[in-house]
Each structure stands twice: as structure tokens, then as C-alpha cells.
Amino acid sequence: MVDKHGLLTQPISDVLRKLTTPMVFGMVAILLFNLVDTFFISLLGTDALAAVSFTFPVTFAVNCITMGIGVGLSASIGRLLGQGNSKHAAQLTTHGLILAVILILIACSIGFFTIDPLFRLLGAEDKLLPLIHEYMSIWYLTIPLLVIPMSSNSAIRATGDTTTPAKIMMLAGLINGVLDPLLIFGYGPFPELGIQGAAIASGISWFGALCASFYVLTRKVKLLAPPKPSEIKQDWHQILKIGSPAALSNALNPISGAILMMMLASQGTVAVASYGAAQRVESLMLLVIMALTSSLSPFVAQNLGAKQPERVKEAIFLAMKFSVLFQLFLYILIVPLSIPLSHLFSQDDAVQHGLWMYLICVPFSYGFQGIVMVLVSSLNAMQKPLHSFSWSFMRLFVFTLPTAWIGSHFYGMEGLFVGIAIGNVMGGISAFWYLRSGTIFEDATLKGRGKAES
């Protein structure tokens, strides 16, 4: 295999920096995509914004399927490319795309015919159901267009190319940003479609991303091959073995978020509003670490395939060190900005105080949270998905939620925020000592002698 992107030979710090930087821009594009949608829909009124807000848990749940397939693809393809088996990598990519489309079509078919009962179950008022129906009926029809570029981008990143997927997502964001106001409000020759226009704009942007990703897969990285019915079952099993726990890991975050919201609700609306505003800041502060962990996956997978465990070990500890130091640097920056930021996100004095408390307490622990994120990403790349899921579960349900509950029980909202920070620190230290023990580095899988865990 030609080491085009230097994952197997170039200095580790240089490789991770080159992989991570484009990922940051790609994630910013995704954030802006969602913000643009929310902004223009909010101009339609409170009901429209509330209707779309109700769709978030459902759309995230469906997208968990694609994210899981993407993790399974990236880990499997990276290992094959590290072994120099590009032919099987191309075949596995094709089979993975077919699997992703089939699973999403099944989920969307069920969802399309259960819109009203499902959203009534989620608590949507009857007056919002027509708006939800307008949006989700289009979303269910067009989301298969997003499945292929999302899965394709995972395959492309497995080659060590993180720039091209970032460009594809920026292209989708640009198309969506241009079409949103045209289709929502009916400017020029375009019809005024309201909330349905937002869903159509998203669908068209996803189609643009699909065309771009297909072009890259077929012409640039040559990671598509005719499907082989005799081998498709085996490849699906390999992808799902890693992807299923990864999808469940992704689903843990909104579940734990909902539990935290329930704890906060008992403290009053001020606590809920403070936490909601804090989540916007948190998504930005963790952006670089999220990009780093995504970039680490192809590096680990390829070097495992090439039987270079020492590079893997060095990269993981380097990523953890960077996580702690970088997030500490951000925390030092955010402390003097905490009061201006709290005023920016709310005009209510009580909410401002709550947000200030969060920014003083929780971001200190993000570096430790990053250690667990590095470990989870690395375990997936090592094809140890059950271990990865276990650490995701422990971070949230063994460390963070119990300490948050204890803090909330004794000291209210402030105690809950301190509890979240303590849980993150405990999780990070535990993950670090697990890595220091060397267990995963002594595993036969890492040395290239064994198979992925079943």
C-alpha cells in the first residue's frame, strides 16, 4: 500500500495535526448547518421552532444508525488499508453503503407511518402535529440521501484524507444556507413552503454531498467495487460487530442529557435554561477534541493493520496529553470571559448566574473527558467495540450522573455542575490508568495476530 497521507511513516504529531485541522472545519460546517436551519425556522414563529425542536431526538436516533455504520466502516477499512488490502477495502465500502441504505430505509419506513403517534408520545401538542408532519414527511423521504455521504466520508477518512470529507460537508452547508431562505419564505421564483422548505433545502444539500462523495470514492480514492453476494454477509457482520455498539454509545449521550435535564427540572426553570445555554458553549469548547478523536481512528486502524503497535501507543498517549493541556488552556481563557458570555446568552440575572457557575466549574474537566473520548475512539479502531461501549457507559452512568445527582441532592444546581466536573475527572483518571496498565497494548488484536472481538 502507498502511504499517501503518511499515517504509517511520518512523525505522529505532524500526522495528527494534519488529520485534525480539516476535521475542525468540517465540524464547524455541520454546526453552522444546524444553526442556519434553526435561525430561519425561528423566523416563522414559536410554533415552528417548537415543532422542529421536537424532531431532534428522532432525527438523532435515526442518524445513530449511520454514525454506527461509519465507525464500523472506518475501523475495518483502515485495518485493511494498513495491511495493503485495498481491493477488499473497496468491496467492504460498497457492502457498507448498501447496509447503511437498507437499515435507514427500514427505519424511515417505520417512522413515516408513525409520525403522529410517535410525536404525541414525545409530548407534542395537537396544534404542532401538522407542522411536525410537514417537516418529517420530507425528512424521512430525503434522509437516505445523507446516509451515503456520511458513510462515504467515514470510508474516505479511513484512507487518511480528512480534508475532502470536510469540503463535502462545507459544500452541503453552503447549499443549505442559500436554499433555506429561498424555499422557506419564497423569494423570487421560489414557492413559499415554510417549515417544509427547510426540509427540502436540507434534502437538496444532502444530494449535493452525495454526488461529491460518489465522485471522490470512484475517481479519487477508488474505494468502490462491484458487490459480491457471496461475501456480503461476512462484511456486514464485520461492520455491525463494531458499528452496533458504536451506535448505542452515541445514543447514550442524549439519554444521559435527558436524565440531567430531569435533575435540573427539579431545581427550577433557571437551572434548565442555564444548562441549555451552557451546552451551546460546550459544543464549541470540545470541537477540537472531537475532531482529534475522529482523526485518531484511521491512524490507529492503519497502523494496527501494518503491525506498528508502538506508533499506536505513542499516538494515543500524545492525544491524551494534548487533550488535557489544550482544554486547560481553553479553561484559562474562558474564566475571564465567563461573565460576558453569560450576559451574551441570557438577559435574566438568575440564568446569567447559573451559566457563569457552569463555565467556572465544568470546562475545567473537559480535558479529562477528552481522555475517555480518546480511549473510546481508539478501542473502536482496535475493533474492540464492546470495550469502547463499556467506557462510554461508565463515563456517563458510573461517573458523571451519580456525582451530578449527589451534588444536586446536597447543593442544588451549583452542586450538580460541580458533580459533572468531578465525574469527568474520575472518568478521565480511570481511563488513563487503564491505558497505563498496558492491557489493550498487550492484546493479540493489537499485535495483528488475532481477530476483532465478537
Side-chain angles (χ1 to χ4, degrees), residues 104-266:
I104 288 295
L105 285 175
I106 293 172
C108 289
S109 297
I110 296 171
F112 186 87
F113 293 106
T114 57
I115 292 175
D116 286 357
L118 174 60
F119 284 95
R120 281 198 179 97
L121 183 64
L122 291 174
E125 300 176 34
D126 286 344
K127 68 174 183 177
L128 296 180
L129 288 177
L131 289 171
I132 292 173
H133 210 286
E134 281 183 37
Y135 185 86
M136 290 303 296
S137 60
I138 299 296
W139 191 88
Y140 279 130
L141 291 174
T142 56
I143 192 62
L145 298 172
L146 179 62
V147 172
I148 293 177
M150 281 184 67
S151 301
S152 299
N153 282 350
S154 296
I156 296 166
R157 280 194 292 270
T159 69
D161 179 5
T162 56
T163 302
T164 301
K167 289 179 178 178
I168 291 172
M169 294 316 298
M170 286 191 285
L171 171 66
L174 178 63
I175 295 172
N176 183 69
V178 171
L179 290 180
D180 253 348
L182 298 178
L183 293 174
I184 292 173
F185 304 111
Y187 295 131
F190 294 91
E192 183 180 350
L193 300 175
I195 195 172
Q196 199 170 60
I200 294 172
S202 295
I204 295 172
S205 71
W206 297 337
F207 179 73
L210 182 151
C211 294
S213 61
F214 255 130
Y215 174 81
V216 174
L217 282 179
T218 54
R219 298 296 181 87
K220 189 174 179 181
V221 297
K222 295 180 172 57
L223 267 182
L224 281 182
K228 288 188 176 181
S230 60
E231 298 180 21
I232 197 168
K233 184 178 179 181
Q234 179 181 346
D235 284 346
W236 283 1
H237 176 72
Q238 170 67 17
I239 293 167
L240 288 173
K241 188 161 54 179
I242 303 170
S244 298
L248 290 174
S249 293
N250 283 318
L252 290 178
N253 288 299
I255 293 172
S256 65
I259 294 172
L260 280 173
M261 276 294 187
M262 290 169 62
M263 294 182 195
L264 287 160
S266 66

Side-chain angles (χ1 to χ4, degrees), residues 282-329:
E282 180 175 285
S283 63
L284 293 174
M285 289 192 69
L286 288 174
L287 195 65
V288 172
I289 300 303
M290 290 170 64
L292 174 62
T293 55
S294 296
S295 303
L296 191 63
S297 180
F299 180 93
V300 171
Q302 282 204 27
N303 279 277
L304 289 184
K307 298 183 180 180
Q308 298 188 128
E310 286 306 314
R311 278 178 67 83
V312 171
K313 186 175 182 178
E314 185 179 344
I316 291 173
F317 280 106
L318 181 63
M320 289 193 307
K321 181 180 178 181
F322 174 83
S323 173
V324 173
L325 293 178
F326 179 77
Q327 293 301 147
L328 179 61
F329 171 72

Side-chain angles (χ1 to χ4, degrees), residues 41-115:
I41 290 171
S42 69
L43 298 179
L44 293 172
T46 304
D47 283 354
L49 186 59
V52 171
S53 298
F54 268 109
T55 70
F56 290 159
V58 178
T59 57
F60 183 85
V62 174
N63 279 326
C64 276
I65 298 172
T66 308
M67 288 186 268
I69 297 297
V71 171
L73 268 176
S74 181
S76 302
I77 292 169
R79 178 71 69 93
L80 290 170
L81 292 175
Q83 294 169 350
N85 195 348
S86 56
K87 184 178 179 181
H88 188 190
Q91 176 188 297
L92 190 133
T93 301
T94 302
H95 293 166
L97 294 179
I98 294 171
L99 175 63
V101 171
I102 290 174
L103 292 177
I104 288 295
L105 285 175
I106 293 172
C108 289
S109 297
I110 296 171
F112 186 87
F113 293 106
T114 57
I115 292 175

